[in-house]
């Protein structure tokens, strides 16, 4: 009798034509509708799976893999993987992969756009106009902050941070960054970016953009003390993870005029948004869409499929998944 084929669980409907590549090697259990899987449903799905293709909404930790005796690989569709307890997976010998690279430029585009929208008060102006408050052109109406010629601070200078830095060159911005490890000189030159201590970056930036991965060690790295270092004319933009910012402290700063504006694509309790932020007129809020373009989302699924096939020992890269998760570095 032929060996049974390994089983793969796909946690969400993605792109059928790309997912179909899994059928060549595996028995695939698909999820027909977008589903908010409860932890016990994930545990049940993993219990007889050899591999899983999951998204950021699917939290997989020690409890979810406790009964997953055959599971050998989890491929995350996303560059960030704080939905996976990598240590718990590693302890069980389960390989984790993510999707860096393919979303870099799309996400950098969005980060730049969000920063500009916050600085130039674009959504605030639109709400004001739609509310019928525009009585005619006004010299003093809705004055925003300059982008060109200003100082951009980037916290987390991985691929996406570097993409934002390269865009900033076209706007004549001075670019400063902080990373735990300074980049090689050639990369700094290419990005026209200079390294600074983190505290100094908060103080120097006219526009600060967060692009670093979330880890428990940098929980609320932007807290009241960090915000107090920023210029009252500055903006703060985050396309990273919600847990990096103390949202109540941010709401305090925005409401008190101690920070000019913010642009947030990610939230600590998403999809719930801190009601105090919802009440701030000077914050642009978007629902975690920085990588959301069709070509990019397709490329992410394609890379995740390649990762899973390879991590499970099949295909041209058998045993060598293109993007194995390693300890967190800037994305
Ligand atoms: C990621 O990939 O980590 C983004 O946050 C979602 O695309």
């Amino acid at each position: 009798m032929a060996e049974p084929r390994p089983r793969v669980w796909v946690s969400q409907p993605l792109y059928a034509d790309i997912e179909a590549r899994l059928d060549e090697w595996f028995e695939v259990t698909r999820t027909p509708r977008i589903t908010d899987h409860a932890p016990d449903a994930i545990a049940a799905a993993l219990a007889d799976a050899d591999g899983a293709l999951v998204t950021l909404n699917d939290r997989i930790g020690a409890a979810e893999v406790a009964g997953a005796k055959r599971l050998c690989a989890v491929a995350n569709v996303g560059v960030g993987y704080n939905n996976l307890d990598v240590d718990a997976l590693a302890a069980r010998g389960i390989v984790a992969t993510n999707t860096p690279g393919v979303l870099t430029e799309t996400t950098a585009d969005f980060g730049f756009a969000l920063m500009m929208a916050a600085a130039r008060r674009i959504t605030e102006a639109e709400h004001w106009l739609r509310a019928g408050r525009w009585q005619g052109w006004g010299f003093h109406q809705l004055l925003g902050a300059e982008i060109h010629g200003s100082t951009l601070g980037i916290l987390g200078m991985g691929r996406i941070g570097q993409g934002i830095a390269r865009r900033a060159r076209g706007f004549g911005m001075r670019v400063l960054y902080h990373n735990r490890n300074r980049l090689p000189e050639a990369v700094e030159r290419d990005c026209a970016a200079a390294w600074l201590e983190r505290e100094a970056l908060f103080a120097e930036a006219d526009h600060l953009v967060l692009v670093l991965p979330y880890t428990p060690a940098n929980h609320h790295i932007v807290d009241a003390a960090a915000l107090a270092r920023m210029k009252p004319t500055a903006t703060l933009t985050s396309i990273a993870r919600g847990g990096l910012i103390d949202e109540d402290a941010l709401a305090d700063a925005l409401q008190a005029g101690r920070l000019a504006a913010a642009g947030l694509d990610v939230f600590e309790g998403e999809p719930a948004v801190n009601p105090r932020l919802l009440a701030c007129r000077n914050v642009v809020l978007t629902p975690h869409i920085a990588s959301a373009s069709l070509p990019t989302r397709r490329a992410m699924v394609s890379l995740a499929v390649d990762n899973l096939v390879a991590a499970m020992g099949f295909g041209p890269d058998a045993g060598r998944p293109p993007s194995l998760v390693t300890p967190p570095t800037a994305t």
Side-chain angles (χ1 to χ4, degrees), residues 7-78:
R7 295 185 200 146
V8 159
W9 177 56
V10 180
S11 72
Q12 305 290 339
L14 299 165
Y15 298 110
D17 59 324
I18 304 173
E19 279 173 50
R21 300 209 310 257
L22 294 169
D23 297 322
E24 186 179 340
W25 317 99
F26 312 121
E27 285 310 318
V28 182
T29 303
R30 295 186 161 81
T31 306
R33 276 173 298 284
I34 293 173
T35 305
D36 186 6
H37 298 287
D40 55 347
I42 294 183
L46 296 178
D48 64 352
D50 298 274
L53 192 71
V54 303
T55 70
L56 307 184
N57 290 338
D58 310 308
R59 307 212 154 263
I60 301 183
E64 286 74 21
V65 297
K69 303 289 179 237
R70 312 153 51 116
L71 191 66
C72 66
V74 174
N76 205 37
V77 184

Side-chain angles (χ1 to χ4, degrees), residues 56 77-81 99 103 239-241 266 288 291 297 300:
L56 307 184
V77 184
V79 63
Y81 49 86
T99 59
L103 48 62
I239 53 168
R241 285 292 183 267
V266 286
H288 203 148
S291 67
R297 286 285 160 88
M300 290 165 70

Side-chain angles (χ1 to χ4, degrees), residues 31-285:
T31 306
R33 276 173 298 284
I34 293 173
T35 305
D36 186 6
H37 298 287
D40 55 347
I42 294 183
L46 296 178
D48 64 352
D50 298 274
L53 192 71
V54 303
T55 70
L56 307 184
N57 290 338
D58 310 308
R59 307 212 154 263
I60 301 183
E64 286 74 21
V65 297
K69 303 289 179 237
R70 312 153 51 116
L71 191 66
C72 66
V74 174
N76 205 37
V77 184
V79 63
Y81 49 86
N82 57 312
N83 54 314
L84 307 181
D85 180 340
V86 176
D87 293 336
L89 298 192
R92 293 282 319 280
I94 301 165
V95 166
T97 64
N98 66 340
T99 59
V102 291
L103 48 62
T104 299
E105 300 303 331
T106 302
T107 306
D109 284 347
F110 189 86
F112 210 86
L114 192 56
M115 172 191 74
M116 291 192 67
R120 297 302 307 271
R121 305 173 64 177
I122 288 176
T123 53
E124 182 187 352
E126 185 180 352
H127 288 145
W128 189 80
L129 178 150
R130 285 179 187 271
R133 295 181 58 191
W134 192 26
Q135 301 299 317
W137 186 81
F139 193 78
H140 298 288
Q141 271 163 16
L142 291 158
L143 305 182
E146 299 287 25
I147 297 292
H148 73 273
S150 65
T151 297
L152 172 64
I154 301 176
L155 188 55
M157 193 68 155
R159 294 177 177 86
I160 299 169
Q162 291 169 34
I164 292 173
R166 286 194 306 274
R167 282 158 179 75
R169 265 204 319 236
F171 284 78
M173 298 177 91
R174 175 168 81 119
V175 181
L176 306 172
Y177 77 95
H178 178 81
N179 245 13
R180 259 175 323 177
N181 300 315
R182 203 174 158 160
L183 296 173
E185 255 181 68
V187 181
E188 285 191 347
R189 240 192 336 272
D190 181 47
C191 296
W195 184 90
L196 215 60
E197 290 291 352
R198 196 170 76 212
E199 284 70 21
L201 188 74
F202 278 100
E204 280 283 313
D206 295 313
H207 305 289
L208 182 67
V209 181
L210 308 186
V211 207
L212 69 169
Y214 175 81
T215 66
N218 59 28
H219 180 74
H220 287 186
I221 197 170
V222 182
D223 57 6
L227 289 163
R229 281 188 204 102
M230 294 182 71
K231 301 174 188 176
T233 50
T235 72
L236 172 70
T237 295
S238 180
I239 53 168
R241 285 292 183 267
L244 295 169
I245 297 180
D246 177 342
E247 292 172 347
D248 282 317
L250 176 60
D252 286 342
L254 289 166
Q255 278 165 356
R258 282 186 277 106
L259 189 71
L264 302 175
D265 186 48
V266 286
F267 305 91
E268 187 158 12
E270 64 184 59
V273 178
N274 184 319
R276 297 194 53 210
L277 290 174
L278 288 170
C280 290
R281 57 162 183 76
N282 48 348
V283 56
V284 181
L285 305 168

